[in-house]
Amino acid sequence: MEKANLLNIDEVCTVLGVKKSWVRAAIFYKRLPHLKIGKLIRFSQDEIMTWIESQKKEVDDARA
């Protein structure tokens, strides 16, 4: 079985270049894909990268 590459909040903040408060708000409003493992919040690196690409496409579409 392949090990899932999960990120914690600090790592996601670094990847996205945002503050913890932004990530926590995005979790609360279900705008950022995440997993809840007990009380822990984790993020799939693949899902975060896909989410980043989807955000980029929305910006590109708006310019057209």
Side-chain angles (χ1 to χ4, degrees):
M1 181 177 233
E2 188 176 322
K3 181 182 173 186
N5 195 4
L6 299 177
L7 306 173
N8 62 32
I9 289 180
D10 290 330
E11 293 167 329
V12 169
C13 289
T14 300
V15 169
L16 298 178
V18 297
K19 294 181 180 182
K20 277 187 184 182
S21 59
W22 187 92
V23 173
R24 290 187 190 282
I27 292 167
F28 181 80
Y29 291 109
K30 298 182 172 118
R31 294 182 179 152
L32 193 60
H34 63 281
L35 306 165
K36 244 188 138 173
I37 304 170
K39 292 183 178 182
L40 301 174
I41 300 292
R42 293 294 181 256
F43 305 85
S44 163
Q45 185 173 12
D46 292 338
E47 287 184 7
I48 293 298
M49 299 313 287
T50 300
W51 180 85
I52 291 170
E53 286 300 314
S54 73
Q55 299 305 299
K56 179 181 173 186
K57 290 177 184 173
E58 288 178 14
V59 171
D60 290 345
D61 290 344
R63 290 183 186 169

